[in-house]
Amino acid sequence: MANTTVKGALAIHGQNPQFLIETVIRNRIWESTYWKEHCFALTAESLINKAIELRCIGGVYGNQRPTEFLCLLLKLLQLQPEKEILIEYLQADEFKYMRALAAMYIRMTFDAVEVYELLEPLMKDYQKLRHRDMSGYSLIYFDEFIYSLVTEERVCDIILPRIAKRQTLEENGEIGPRKSRLLDAMEGKSEDGGSHRSRSSGRSSSRSSSRSRSSRSRGSRKSPYRSRNPSEGGSSPPFVDGRYVSRTPSRSRSPYRSRSRSISPDRMEPEPTADV
């Protein structure tokens, strides 16, 4: 039947893989139109075409209707594809919703060590995803979705199985320390800054030494021109009766004279007044 798990499927976390989704949501998925029309007789290969056509992620919306994302997730739990197929899903960078579907399935079915090893590299992806819930559509980033899968207990209205914390796995030696791109970038900038500072200090020291050498060479040479300033010549400035007398000739006299006569106000004749 369409609602049964494939024959030979392994138990996940000690139970049927379909039971990882709550009974209420699972029944609504089985009764939905998308499940009856598009999820019937799907295989691990033909499911790729349906995953590529996804336009959003999310849980239930409206009148508790399941999204297409949840329907395909339940179908993956029925089929229980191999690990190599899921890794191929994750490597398809151009199909972000299919990667999100595979990441959700890995988080629900794999053990803690494999979850961290497979999902943490996906935090380098910063594509936008449309998320649909009871309040409508919203935009989230792909790295935020992956971070919520690793840290939160409920994602897309699905209660996720509990996994050990990363710190506990690191203390037990089961997983190595996390590689942070931000920390690597900060270390790279610090190294570049140190080399740049050393180069700038070397350049400044070479410039200062060259300037000191040039100033010494200029001081050793005698200038062929004499200074017009009397203080530099060694002779004291001339003083007459306590006043300084300039040696330069005065330029107050002009060779040109004004043609207009200037009449003093004393010599101006008064204007005649008319007799009344």
Side-chain angles (χ1 to χ4, degrees), residues 68-241:
E68 300 175 1
F69 181 82
L70 279 186
C71 296
L72 294 181
L73 178 63
L74 182 59
K75 194 64 181 180
L76 277 179
L77 293 174
Q78 282 187 359
L79 298 175
Q80 201 176 31
E82 299 179 358
K83 183 179 179 180
E84 291 76 11
I85 298 177
L86 295 172
I87 293 177
E88 292 296 329
Y89 286 0
L90 293 179
Q91 293 178 354
D93 299 341
E94 61 274 14
F95 306 117
K96 53 186 179 181
Y97 293 106
M98 185 173 67
R99 299 183 73 191
L101 180 64
M104 185 77 174
Y105 178 82
I106 289 174
R107 171 62 181 85
M108 296 181 66
T109 57
F110 285 26
D111 58 354
V113 177
E114 291 179 337
V115 167
Y116 288 112
E117 291 178 350
L118 293 176
L119 296 188
E120 282 183 349
L122 299 180
M123 292 185 183
K124 302 177 183 178
D125 192 353
Y126 306 112
Q127 301 183 75
K128 292 182 179 180
L129 297 174
R130 296 180 64 188
H131 183 268
R132 190 173 188 180
D133 53 9
M134 298 295 295
S135 59
Y137 287 99
S138 61
L139 289 178
I140 62 173
Y141 290 92
F142 196 88
D143 59 332
E144 295 178 357
F145 176 70
I146 299 299
Y147 184 77
S148 63
L149 289 177
V150 177
T151 57
E152 297 181 5
E153 297 181 357
R154 178 182 289 269
V155 177
C156 296
D157 298 328
I158 300 296
I159 299 177
L160 302 176
R162 294 183 179 181
I163 58 175
K165 294 184 178 181
R166 182 178 179 83
Q167 183 179 0
T168 305
L169 297 176
E170 290 181 2
E171 293 176 355
N172 297 336
E174 299 180 10
I175 192 174
R178 179 182 175 185
K179 296 180 180 179
S180 176
R181 294 187 64 188
L182 180 60
L183 182 60
D184 296 340
M186 293 176 65
E187 291 178 354
K189 287 183 179 180
S190 61
E191 293 176 358
D192 297 340
S195 60
H196 180 69
R197 290 177 182 175
S198 61
R199 292 177 183 176
S200 60
S201 60
R203 292 178 182 176
S204 60
S205 60
S206 61
R207 289 179 181 176
S208 60
S209 60
S210 61
R211 288 179 181 176
S212 61
R213 291 177 183 175
S214 61
S215 60
R216 291 177 184 176
S217 61
R218 290 178 182 176
S220 60
R221 296 179 183 177
K222 294 183 178 180
S223 176
Y225 302 98
R226 295 181 179 178
S227 175
R228 295 182 180 181
N229 192 354
S231 61
E232 295 179 0
S235 60
S236 59
F239 290 89
V240 177
D241 296 336

